[in-house]
């Protein structure tokens, strides 16, 4: 969304620059305070530590900090200045710890990397909450100096995330052991928030003193996204009114009245944290372990009470002896209330369900009671969270969300026998969910042609999984294979046309690359600088395409490539004003043969006849001028002033410009859409066919639309065509990223160059529906929730 700019932005520009530079210059003093606070905390921890190895590690960490203090203070200002000057990179790096934890990358991380992510996230949380009020005011003033009439907090380069990102970068530059770096970051986190709060108050006073008028906060719809847990409302939401609210929304908690959030006093052993999720994916939790008394109580309590099987006259067992101790432990951890509330919620949910119908909560509780070990318990939790996220994904139509819900019981049963089913992206169960979700994105509405058949086919295919005994992944593999075969059969005709389109585009790019090489050779010819631009543009453009096509074997006659290549020298000579005057007889003999070869060659690539006629008319004009000059009396010789050597003009090439030329038959085969420039070069034809049909306008609102070249294959987009949104999928991209092929639900293809795609993006006529697999996004949300749990938990 574009943001309006204030008319006073120019007068504030210098003030903005000076404010940023002043903040960066203060980095040295700030780092000194962070180091002092970290040194004190490390010494305190060392004094309280009873374990010799840990105490020695803390002492070593403190020693390294003393040795690096001067260098850290020297480097931090420059790191801040670099971060302030590159807000886009900082925006990504600064929010990495909160928003961009990738589920599939966790298995490759070690314990220290996970702890570092948690530490940075906790530091960001504490810093933002500590600086809440002053940061909110600073956002209004900084945005005003940027010329924005409404506050956009992400445009403020002085926000805490940027300071944390720069701090991490400077600490990493020491190349000390990760454990030492982590000690420093932990120790510096709390102090950073306090110092930023004071800095923001100082900067706000300075900006107000310079007469800066604060920009206003605007409540605007934000793009909908994936949920991060059960019960989370999905869809459009409003911009948080305060920083604390924003951070709390990110961290999934209520902001504390003091501005700081107290960590949980204990940790539920089954709580899904980032480290446990990493260990689960790495297979480190699969070995069964002996249950502690609390775990035995929790399992028995769940089995007896949560499933509703408790009987007042149940016989006494050894379990009774463990109840007091377990209840005492739960009371100490302040978890009894939360535990009872969960049970009451599940019971109320079950009570509201139709008679005789088993709720998903009851199924979850039953399977949790059957779980042995932490790996199975956490696997069940990951499955439930993933399904919840997908079932609330606003990109999926409601009937599709319900289909995904139907798969959950089978997925849960599979998790008990295959705890690592989601660590493998090619696992049949994961692929089944992804394929169903991905294919459903072809339909923007339940009224779209083909949606009813799609829904019925999937519903029938997954029905056996609801009753099957799940002992391994084979039932899912069978259903997946059955669906893929059915989809492939239905798409057989469209697959053939798509393959023909892809072959046409592959040939076009290959020919364009070869033509570009030929064009560069022509431009480097010694006589090229003396030849008129109209001829050079033709030789480096259409004729280079002719020669390239012949070299690729596209011309029928033998020796066609050599013949067409010989035309280059002949045409250069015939258009050279000085050379032709000296040998008019040769020009007279050459012209008929030259024209015949030109027409023949252009016909091989089906070059438009109108453009052929335009060029030949211009060429004949040059030849007639040469004939007239030869008949005129020679001019008297005069001394000519010295001139500099002619420098050949810099020419642009179609492939370099991401705008390769397609012959009409290639354009027709791929339903090519070309959006020419306002000052289009005459060498490239304009071919704009009818676009994809049966598009539907949806309520999906776009956010920032990336360039087509950055989209992954399989991404779904919508094009605004003829007053409607047309939904289509990126099914192929050329090896050099110059041509793209899209296919809609009905199998109709659409191709375009990268330049045309960029024009559509710039005009707001493209919006991305899904640029990554739905399951990947849902599992990433699970990882983000695990990170939030880690941030709010004391180890």
């Amino acid at each position: 969304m574009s943001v309006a700019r204030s008319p006073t932005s120019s007068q504030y520009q210098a003030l903005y620059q000076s404010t940023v530079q002043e903040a960066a210059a203060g980095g040295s003093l700030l780092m000194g305070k962070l180091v002092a606070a970290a040194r004190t905390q490390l010494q305190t921890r060392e004094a309280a530590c009873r374990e010799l190895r840990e105490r020695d590690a803390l002492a070593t960490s403190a020693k390294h900090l003393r040795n690096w203090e001067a260098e850290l203070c020297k480097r931090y200002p420059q790191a801040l200045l670099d971060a302030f000057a590159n807000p886009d990179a900082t925006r990504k790096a600064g929010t990495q710890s909160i928003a961009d934890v990738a589920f599939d990358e966790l298995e490759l991380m070690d314990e220290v990397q996970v702890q570092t992510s948690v530490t940075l996230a906790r530091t960001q949380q504490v810093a933002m909450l500590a600086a809440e009020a002053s940061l909110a005011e600073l956002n209004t003033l900084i945005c005003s100096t940027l010329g924005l009439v409404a506050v956009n907090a992400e445009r403020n380069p002085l926000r805490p995330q940027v300071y944390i990102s720069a701090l991490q970068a400077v600490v990493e530059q020491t190349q000390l052991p990760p454990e030492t770096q982590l000690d420093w970051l932990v120790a510096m986190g709390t102090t950073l928030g306090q110092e930023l709060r004071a800095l923001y108050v100082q900067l706000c006073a300075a900006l107000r003193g310079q007469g800066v008028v604060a920009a206003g906060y605007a409540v605007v719809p934000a793009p909908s996204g994936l949920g991060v847990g059960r019960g989370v409302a999905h869809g459009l939401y409003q911009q948080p009114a305060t920083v604390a609210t924003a951070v709390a929304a990110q961290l999934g908690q209520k902001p504390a009245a003091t501005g700081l959030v107290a960590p949980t006093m204990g940790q539920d052993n089954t709580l899904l944290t980032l480290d446990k999720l990493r260990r689960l994916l790495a297979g480190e939790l699969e070995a069964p372990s002996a249950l502690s008394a609390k775990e035995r109580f929790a399992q028995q309590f769940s089995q007896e009470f949560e499933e509703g099987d408790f009987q007042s006259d149940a016989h006494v067992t050894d379990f009774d002896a463990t109840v007091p101790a377990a209840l005492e432990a739960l009371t100490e951890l302040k978890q009894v209330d939360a535990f009872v509330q969960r049970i009451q919620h599940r019971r109320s949910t079950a009570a509201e369900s139709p008679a005789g119908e088993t709720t998903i909560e009851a199924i979850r509780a039953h399977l949790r009671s059957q779980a042995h070990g932490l790996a199975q318990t956490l696997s069940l939790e990951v499955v439930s969270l993933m399904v919840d996220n997908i079932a609330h994904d606003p990109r999926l139509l409601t009937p599709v969300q319900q289909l995904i819900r139907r798969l959950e019981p089978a997925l849960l049963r599979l998790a008990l026998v295959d705890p690592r089913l989601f660590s493998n992206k090619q696992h049949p169960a994961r692929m089944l969910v992804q394929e169903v979700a991905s294919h459903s994105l072809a339909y923007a509405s339940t009224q779209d042609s083909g949606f009813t058949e799609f829904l019925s086919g999937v519903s029938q295919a997954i029905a056996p999984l609801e009753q099957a005994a799940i002992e391994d992944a084979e039932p899912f593999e069978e259903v997946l294979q059955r669906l893929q075969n059915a989809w492939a059969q239905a798409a057989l005709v469209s697959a053939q046309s798509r393959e023909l389109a892809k072959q046409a585009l592959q040939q076009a790019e290959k020919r364009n690359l070869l033509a570009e090489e030929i064009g560069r050779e022509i431009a480097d010819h010694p006589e090229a600088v003396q030849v008129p631009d109209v001829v050079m543009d033709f030789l480096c453009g259409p004729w280079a395409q002719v020669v390239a096509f012949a070299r690729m074997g596209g011309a029928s006659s033998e020796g066609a490539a050599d013949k067409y290549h010989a035309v280059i020298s002949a045409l250069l000579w015939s258009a050279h004003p000085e050379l032709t005057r000296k040998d008019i007889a040769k020009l007279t003999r050459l012209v008929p043969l030259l024209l015949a070869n030109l027409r023949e060659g252009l016909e091989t690539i089906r070059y438009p006849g109108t453009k052929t006629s335009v060029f030949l008319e211009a060429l004949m004009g040059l030849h007639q001028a040469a004939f007239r000059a030869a008949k005129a009396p020679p001019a008297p010789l005069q001394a000519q002033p010295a001139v500099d050597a002619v420098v050949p003009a810099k020419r642009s090439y179609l492939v370099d410009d991401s705008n390769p030329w397609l012959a009409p038959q290639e354009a027709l085969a791929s339903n090519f859409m070309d959006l020419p420039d306002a000052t289009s070069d005459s060498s490239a034809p304009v071919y704009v066919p009818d676009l994809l049909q049966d598009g539907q306008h949806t309520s999906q609102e776009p956010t920032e639309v990336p360039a087509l070249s950055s989209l992954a294959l399989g991404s779904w987009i919508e094009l605004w065509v003829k007053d409607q949104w047309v939904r289509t999928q990126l099914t192929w991209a050329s090896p050099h990223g110059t041509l793209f092929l899209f296919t809609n639900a009905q199998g109709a293809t659409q191709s375009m160059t990268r330049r045309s795609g960029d024009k559509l993006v710039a005009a707001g006529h493209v919006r991305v529906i899904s640029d990554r697999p739905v399951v990947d996004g849902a599992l990433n949300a699970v990882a983000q929730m695990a990170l939030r749990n880690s941030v709010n938990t004391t180890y």
Side-chain angles (χ1 to χ4, degrees), residues 61 64-65 68 72 174 176 180-188:
S61 183
H64 284 309
L65 186 59
W68 275 95
L72 291 174
T174 64
L176 291 170
T180 300
Q181 297 181 27
L182 184 61
D183 283 339
W184 294 2
L185 292 172
V186 169
M188 293 176 178

Side-chain angles (χ1 to χ4, degrees), residues 215-485:
Y217 277 98
V219 178
V220 296
S224 58
L226 290 175
V228 293
R230 300 175 199 156
V232 178
H234 296 259
L236 299 181
Y237 57 88
Q238 291 185 325
Q239 177 176 329
T242 65
V243 174
T245 307
V247 174
Q250 281 186 309
L251 300 177
Q253 63 189 29
K254 297 180 180 179
T258 61
L260 295 175
V261 177
T264 305
M265 296 306 296
Q267 180 175 345
D268 181 358
N269 190 47
T270 61
L271 182 68
L272 184 65
T273 62
L274 201 62
D275 183 62
K276 287 179 183 175
L277 185 57
R278 178 197 67 81
R279 292 165 60 197
L280 174 67
L281 296 179
E284 298 174 9
L285 298 179
E286 292 184 2
S289 57
L291 297 179
S292 64
K294 186 179 75 171
E295 289 171 330
R296 288 197 302 271
F297 163 74
Q299 185 180 80
Q300 186 71 12
F301 192 91
S302 172
Q303 185 172 359
E304 296 292 338
F305 288 87
E306 293 189 46
E307 296 182 45
D309 294 335
F310 174 73
Q311 302 292 336
S312 58
D313 57 348
H315 63 279
V316 177
T317 68
D318 292 340
F319 170 68
D320 296 326
T322 69
V323 172
L327 281 174
E328 182 179 355
L330 284 175
T331 302
E332 181 182 354
L333 296 177
K334 300 181 180 180
Q335 293 178 342
V336 168
D337 289 342
F339 205 78
V340 172
Q341 288 174 5
R342 282 204 303 271
I343 298 171
Q344 290 175 342
H345 172 71
R346 288 168 181 160
R347 283 180 173 174
S348 64
T349 302
E352 295 171 359
S353 63
E357 180 179 336
T358 304
T359 66
I360 186 60
E361 284 295 343
I363 294 174
R364 289 171 175 171
H366 174 71
L367 292 176
R368 276 196 295 268
S369 70
Q370 295 182 344
H372 299 290
L374 190 57
Q376 288 187 340
T377 301
L378 294 182
S379 294
L380 292 173
E381 184 71 5
V382 170
V383 170
S384 296
L385 290 171
M386 182 207 71
V387 172
D388 275 350
N389 288 331
I390 297 177
H392 286 98
D393 192 326
R395 296 169 299 180
L396 302 183
L397 298 173
T398 300
V400 178
Q401 295 175 345
Q402 295 169 349
L403 279 179
I404 300 298
R405 281 287 189 201
R406 285 176 53 190
L407 282 170
E408 182 176 355
L411 291 170
L412 289 170
R413 296 198 301 273
L414 179 62
L416 292 176
V417 296
D418 191 356
R420 297 186 62 192
L421 66 100
F422 290 112
S423 62
N424 178 11
K425 297 190 72 169
Q426 303 303 315
H427 193 285
R430 177 168 174 174
M431 289 185 64
L432 174 61
V433 177
Q434 176 53 46
E435 287 290 290
V436 171
S438 178
H439 277 76
S440 76
L441 292 175
Y443 307 99
S445 165
T446 56
Q447 306 304 316
D448 281 2
S449 173
F451 177 74
T452 301
E453 293 78 6
F454 163 79
L455 192 67
S456 175
V458 174
S459 180
Q460 294 177 13
I462 68 174
L465 292 175
E466 297 177 287
Q467 303 298 329
I470 307 297
E471 298 178 354
D472 52 33
E474 185 175 350
F476 292 89
E477 189 170 7
E478 292 176 355
V479 172
L480 176 63
Q481 190 64 48
R482 190 179 308 122
L483 281 173
Q484 288 178 332
N485 290 339

Side-chain angles (χ1 to χ4, degrees), residues 656-697:
D656 281 352
D657 293 341
S658 303
N659 195 37
W661 177 78
L662 267 68
Q665 66 271 26
E666 295 165 341
L668 184 62
S670 62
N671 198 30
F672 180 68
M673 178 174 62
D674 188 17
L675 301 179
D677 295 327
T679 56
S680 176
D681 178 63
S682 62
S683 64
V686 178
Y687 188 85
V688 185
D690 290 336
L691 297 178
L692 305 176
Q693 302 299 313
D694 301 322
Q696 294 271 350
H697 181 82

